[in-house]
Amino acid sequence: MKLTELCLKNFRNYSNLKLNFKKPIILFFGANAQGKTNLLEAIYYLATGKSHRAQKEKELIRWETSGFYLKGELEKEQAQYTLEIITNYQNGKNKNLKVNNLSQTNTRNFLKTMNVVIFSPEDLMLVKGTPDNRRRFIDQEITQVDPSYDFYLKNYFKALRQRNKLLKTYQDKNTLAQHLPPWNQQLVHYGSKIILKREEVIHKIRLLARLIYRKITNQTENLELDYSPSLEFEDCKFREQLSGEKLAHKFLNTLNENLQSDIEKRTTSIGPHRDDLIFKINNKDARQFGSQGQQRTTVLALKMAELEMIKGEKGEFPILLLDDVLSELDDNRKKHLLNLTEGRVQTFVTSTSMEDFNGDVDIKAKSQVFRIDNGEAVKLNAGNQE
Ligand SMILES: Nc1ncnc2c1ncn2[C@@H]1O[C@H](COP(=O)(O)OP(=O)(O)OP(=O)(O)O)[C@@H](O)[C@H]1O
């Protein structure tokens, strides 16, 4: 799939911008704080309905205005899609999502149109950082291939917040337990679906990432990726034996077993909100023993696996957004990334320096280059482009 046009109105530091994309690689370069990442954020938002960095949608609205407008023209499977997001906060929140000029009441219809994979410096924390980084990675990944997963997540976290609120605020510990079952039911219902989906997707990524990692390291190192759910289901250890029913049963039993300790600690100690991923390189935990280089290669292999996995599920490669990461990758890693994507994956790249685009991998010639300067984009000639 490829984005052929992007329009932004009152989005971040852009008042009104329209860009057309004609080459497989699009480079946004310029000094710090000029609006390069804002452009990737706009593309990410059109695909996922979320920002990859802002907590609140309001942050995206250009200061002193009351709403933003985004439009993307997408080519996919030889069909053409116009995606639009119109927000207005003048009288409360008002948001309209449109595909081909038709308002979508079901957000899932909008979200399934365009897919992106983003790779930014924060992703380098995937291996070393806290488990919530890894949960976010896997959840974003799953939502791209199955938008209904977002519904399970939202409902799970709604139930979790309610249960934790009761655990924190309810005074009479003797009767508290009577009020928890409705929330337990919700946790178990949505939580089991989340666990099953995570298990399924991690299994696919594990195989792809393993192959890619071996290739980048010239077959010298092995990467293993494991799902580490907080709920131990050793009685149905093999994924073929996992069923929603078995899991739900196990989850409910464990919640009941942990009831007293949850009441004492005033929080829910078990469930997908405590899951983690484990990376091992040559059988050693990459978080503890991996060198910086190995950790970077792990993240790169994961991102490349993500591209391949979406291609497998959706039949087309997603759009790749590389936010300021080329300078973090050495020539070998850059080469692998660009070999995989070349000619197949439309790639948007931001950088503060054109130096990133030189060296062994001369991507300039295949690229369309824009200099980004204080919310304006100036198209430059690069290589042999028109
Ligand atoms: N809601 C907003 N309204 C107006 N301007 C905003 C808004 N949010 C952020 N900005 C401005 O956008 C600019 C930052 O843009 P962006 O994050 O895209 O920078 P960048 O070019 O990627 O920089 P870097 O190279 O440092 O990552 C800053 O000047 C910031 O003040």
Side-chain angles (χ1 to χ4, degrees):
M1 64 183 69
K2 64 176 196 258
L3 196 65
T4 53
E5 185 182 304
L6 176 69
C7 296
L8 294 83
K9 284 188 188 149
N10 293 333
F11 185 89
R12 292 284 196 185
N13 63 339
Y14 292 91
S15 61
N16 198 342
L17 180 79
K18 182 171 146 193
L19 298 175
N20 290 97
F21 309 120
K22 296 187 174 116
K23 297 240 173 174
I25 303 175
I26 296 100
L27 309 177
F28 296 130
F29 96 100
N32 293 122
Q34 299 304 308
K36 301 181 296 297
T37 303
N38 293 345
L39 290 174
L40 300 197
E41 189 176 33
I43 299 171
Y44 187 89
Y45 202 88
L46 273 170
T48 65
K50 287 184 191 142
S51 160
H52 66 291
R53 56 180 181 167
Q55 297 296 329
K56 294 198 179 113
E57 191 175 74
K58 268 189 167 175
E59 291 172 38
L60 310 179
I61 302 171
R62 186 174 157 83
W63 298 323
E64 276 130 45
T65 67
S66 54
F68 66 77
Y69 170 78
L70 290 178
K71 185 175 99 170
E73 293 288 347
L74 185 76
E75 264 177 40
K76 184 174 120 172
E77 289 156 352
Q78 280 141 25
Q80 196 70 40
Y81 297 85
T82 304
L83 297 172
E84 290 170 284
I85 301 182
I86 306 125
T87 66
N88 192 337
Y89 278 77
Q90 214 149 27
N91 301 309
K93 184 179 165 181
N94 200 327
K95 185 170 173 180
N96 191 359
L97 305 176
K98 287 187 183 175
V99 180
N100 294 343
N101 225 0
L102 291 175
S103 292
Q104 303 295 315
T105 41
N106 186 344
T107 317
R108 271 175 263 171
N109 281 340
F110 183 88
L111 297 182
K112 70 182 185 199
T113 316
M114 176 167 152
N115 296 108
V116 291
V117 166
I118 190 159
F119 187 5
S120 58
E122 295 82 65
D123 288 315
L124 296 167
M125 289 301 287
L126 248 174
V127 180
K128 240 195 155 58
T130 50
D132 59 302
N133 286 292
R134 292 181 281 280
R135 286 194 293 271
R136 203 172 320 123
F137 162 75
I138 198 67
D139 289 342
Q140 279 171 357
E141 165 66 28
I142 302 173
T143 312
Q144 293 254 357
V145 290
D146 180 2
S148 59
Y149 181 76
D150 200 42
F151 173 78
Y152 303 143
L153 277 181
K154 278 194 180 121
N155 284 293
Y156 177 82
F157 280 99
K158 206 161 125 190
L160 182 68
R161 275 194 301 275
Q162 296 293 342
R163 191 178 192 268
N164 283 344
K165 194 172 161 194
L166 261 179
L167 287 166
K168 278 197 178 61
T169 56
Y170 202 85
Q171 294 301 320
D172 182 2
K173 283 188 178 175
N174 297 321
T175 56
L176 169 59
Q178 297 165 15
H179 300 281
L180 294 176
W183 302 118
N184 293 351
Q185 293 291 345
Q186 300 266 318
L187 285 186
V188 165
H189 178 72
Y190 294 111
S192 307
K193 292 188 191 305
I194 292 170
I195 295 170
L196 275 180
K197 202 72 207 177
R198 283 183 180 169
E199 166 66 32
E200 180 197 320
V201 170
I202 290 167
H203 179 69
K204 289 181 186 159
I205 295 185
R206 172 192 297 140
L207 302 175
L208 292 165
R210 190 192 287 161
L211 283 173
I212 295 166
Y213 192 95
R214 273 189 73 74
K215 216 167 161 187
I216 303 178
T217 59
N218 288 325
Q219 320 291 331
T220 56
E221 293 182 13
N222 286 314
L223 172 69
E224 280 302 322
L225 162 62
D226 272 322
Y227 181 29
S228 171
S230 79
L231 183 71
E232 286 171 16
F233 37 87
E234 67 282 346
D235 44 340
C236 42
K237 200 170 180 174
F238 302 103
R239 49 189 312 277
E240 310 79 68
Q241 293 171 5
L242 272 179
S243 75
E245 211 178 310
K246 264 191 193 167
L247 257 184
H249 187 69
K250 177 79 187 170
F251 196 176
L252 190 59
N253 281 350
T254 315
L255 279 173
N256 288 332
E257 279 161 26
N258 288 11
L259 183 65
Q260 279 317 314
S261 112
D262 281 4
I263 290 176
E264 288 311 315
K265 292 181 183 147
R266 295 184 173 274
T267 190
T268 306
S269 55
I270 202 102
H273 61 290
R274 295 278 172 98
D275 286 356
D276 202 355
L277 299 178
I278 295 171
F279 302 105
K280 284 189 187 152
I281 297 168
N282 292 344
N283 257 333
K284 295 263 187 306
D285 192 324
R287 200 152 31 136
Q288 282 171 288
F289 302 107
S291 70
Q292 265 207 28
Q294 286 173 320
Q295 294 183 0
R296 266 158 211 249
T297 307
T298 302
V299 178
L300 179 62
L302 281 175
K303 291 287 161 181
M304 289 165 71
E306 207 180 335
L307 285 173
E308 293 282 2
M309 138 114 193
I310 294 177
K311 159 89 166 82
E313 296 284 315
K314 298 279 188 169
E316 272 197 62
F317 275 109
I319 294 165
L320 178 62
L321 309 175
L322 299 177
D323 189 11
D324 219 4
V325 282
L326 282 191
S327 58
E328 308 275 343
L329 302 175
D330 63 16
D331 275 352
N332 178 42
R333 295 191 189 105
K334 246 192 252 184
K335 193 177 81 202
H336 275 92
L337 177 63
L338 296 167
N339 277 350
L340 175 87
T341 54
E342 199 180 347
R344 308 192 294 169
V345 182
Q346 189 189 28
T347 306
F348 291 83
V349 187
T350 71
S351 178
T352 48
S353 153
M354 285 303 283
E355 288 292 298
D356 283 350
F357 310 129
N358 296 330
D360 278 357
V361 217
D362 187 7
I363 52 176
K364 264 194 325 199
K366 298 164 198 143
S367 311
Q368 210 174 338
V369 185
F370 294 93
R371 197 182 62 232
I372 307 301
D373 190 3
N374 195 20
E376 307 271 344
V378 182
K379 191 169 155 196
L380 301 181
N381 280 345
N384 51 7
Q385 84 176 65
E386 83 285 348

